[in-house]
């Protein structure tokens, strides 16, 4: 199994990070502004950001358009969002997590976790590295947006 993880410390309270994240996972315009490779976002069942809801997203990873559907399986306000790809992607990617952990002094750590149930050698060269680069840039954009709007 391949583990994908990226953490970044953010100079903002966990509540602000969670609010920012939910807003960018709710609104297509905000989602597309978050990362240049984000193309589309639509909630196709339920309310955005709620357990049981299903979202459709398009983004470019490693030069290829990814058209994905995810079910939100767990939401712990100001702390965690777990989302699971729907079939057939769920056979390879069991779940992904956005985790926000306070570190004190109004700061927190934002972490993205995921895993892939296949050996590395089955992926096109650079695919894992491209995915890690994508989630790293998402974290950096989140951090920059929140820290640049602080007064």
């Amino acid at each position: 199994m391949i583990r994908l993880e990226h953490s970044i410390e953010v100079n903002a309270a966990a509540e602000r990070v969670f609010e920012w994240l939910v807003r960018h996972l709710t609104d297509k315009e905000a989602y597309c502004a978050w990362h240049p490779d984000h193309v589309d976002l639509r909630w196709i069942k339920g309310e955005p950001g709620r357990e049981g809801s299903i979202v459709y997203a398009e983004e470019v990873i490693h030069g290829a358009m990814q058209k994905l559907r995810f079910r939100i399986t767990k939401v712990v306000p100001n702390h965690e969002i777990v989302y699971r790809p729907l079939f057939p992607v769920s056979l390879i990617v069991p779940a992904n997590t956005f985790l926000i952990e306070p570190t004190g002094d109004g700061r927190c750590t934002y972490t993205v976790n995921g895993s892939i149930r296949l050996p590395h050698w089955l992926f096109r060269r650079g695919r894992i590295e491209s995915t890690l680069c994508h989630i790293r840039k998402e974290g950096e954009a989140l951090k920059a947006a929140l820290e640049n709007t602080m007064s």
Side-chain angles (χ1 to χ4, degrees):
M1 182 153 338
I2 301 166
R3 296 279 306 142
L4 302 173
E5 181 174 301
H6 179 260
S7 295
I8 192 165
E9 189 166 314
V10 181
N11 186 18
E15 295 81 8
R16 285 193 63 227
V17 173
F18 187 83
E19 179 183 288
W20 188 95
L21 183 61
V22 168
R23 185 174 65 251
H24 284 75
L25 293 173
T26 301
D27 176 63
K28 177 184 174 179
E29 187 175 318
Y31 177 76
C32 292
W34 180 9
H35 191 289
D37 291 338
H38 289 178
V39 177
D40 193 11
L41 179 81
R42 288 178 270 159
W43 288 88
I44 56 178
K45 180 183 176 196
E47 294 182 45
R50 303 281 182 166
E51 289 179 17
S53 295
I54 298 175
V55 65
Y56 171 83
E58 292 180 2
E59 50 187 52
V60 177
I61 302 284
H62 197 61
M65 177 65 72
Q66 306 299 308
K67 297 179 179 188
L68 304 163
R69 293 176 301 136
F70 299 95
R71 179 182 312 278
I72 304 296
T73 58
K74 181 178 179 183
V75 178
V76 178
N78 305 320
H79 180 64
E80 181 179 38
I81 298 173
V82 180
Y83 56 103
R84 178 185 167 92
L86 298 182
F87 183 82
V89 177
S90 60
L91 296 173
I92 299 168
V93 181
N96 297 305
T97 304
F98 295 119
L99 185 63
I100 304 161
E101 299 176 291
T103 58
D105 297 333
R107 301 172 67 86
C108 66
T109 301
Y110 166 77
T111 302
V112 176
N113 289 304
S115 57
I116 301 171
R117 289 184 178 136
L118 293 174
H120 194 282
W121 59 268
L122 282 177
F123 286 89
R124 288 188 316 202
R125 184 179 182 157
R127 174 74 184 232
I128 300 301
E129 293 78 13
S130 293
T131 303
L132 283 168
C133 180
H134 181 95
I135 64 174
R136 190 176 313 116
K137 286 181 180 178
E138 286 177 336
E140 291 167 355
L142 178 148
K143 175 183 174 74
L146 285 166
E147 292 181 357
N148 290 336
T149 61
M150 296 183 72
S151 34

